[in-house]
């Protein structure tokens, strides 16, 4: 018997997250995030009753806000 530890499989980053996690990732409050969803500034999708936001959409939204604030 060897004393080797099993190697952990590398975890993949999530493709989409729930709104609470999206707000945390973006560094904004939930109210700000939900306002962006309501305005259509931040895209989301619904699967059943669950709302998900693609991580790529969070990046795009932050980039758009960065450009608005630079101008």
């Amino acid at each position: 018997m060897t004393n080797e530890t099993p190697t952990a499989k590398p975890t993949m980053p999530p493709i989409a997250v729930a709104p609470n996690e999206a707000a945390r990732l973006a560094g904004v409050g939930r109210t700000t995030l939900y306002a962006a969803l309501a305005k259509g500034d931040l895209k989301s999708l619904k699967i059943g009753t669950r709302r998900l936001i693609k991580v790529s959409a969070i990046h795009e939204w932050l980039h758009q806000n960065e450009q608005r604030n630079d101008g």
Side-chain angles (χ1 to χ4, degrees):
M1 192 150 66
T2 63
N3 208 11
E4 295 178 23
T5 58
T7 55
K9 292 183 181 179
T11 57
M12 300 266 307
I15 297 169
V17 293
N20 287 347
E21 179 67 4
R24 189 189 69 75
L25 289 172
V28 299
R30 286 182 4 184
T31 304
T32 300
L33 186 108
Y34 277 105
L37 288 170
K39 283 177 57 179
D41 291 344
L42 178 59
K43 298 175 188 172
S44 68
L45 58 127
K46 202 164 182 184
I47 300 176
T49 59
R50 187 165 170 143
R51 170 122 358 240
L52 294 173
I53 302 164
K54 288 184 178 180
V55 174
S56 61
I58 299 167
H59 287 278
E60 290 171 21
W61 177 60
L62 291 172
H63 184 70
Q64 289 169 358
N65 280 294
E66 181 181 56
Q67 289 179 338
R68 286 183 198 147
N69 292 330
D70 286 345

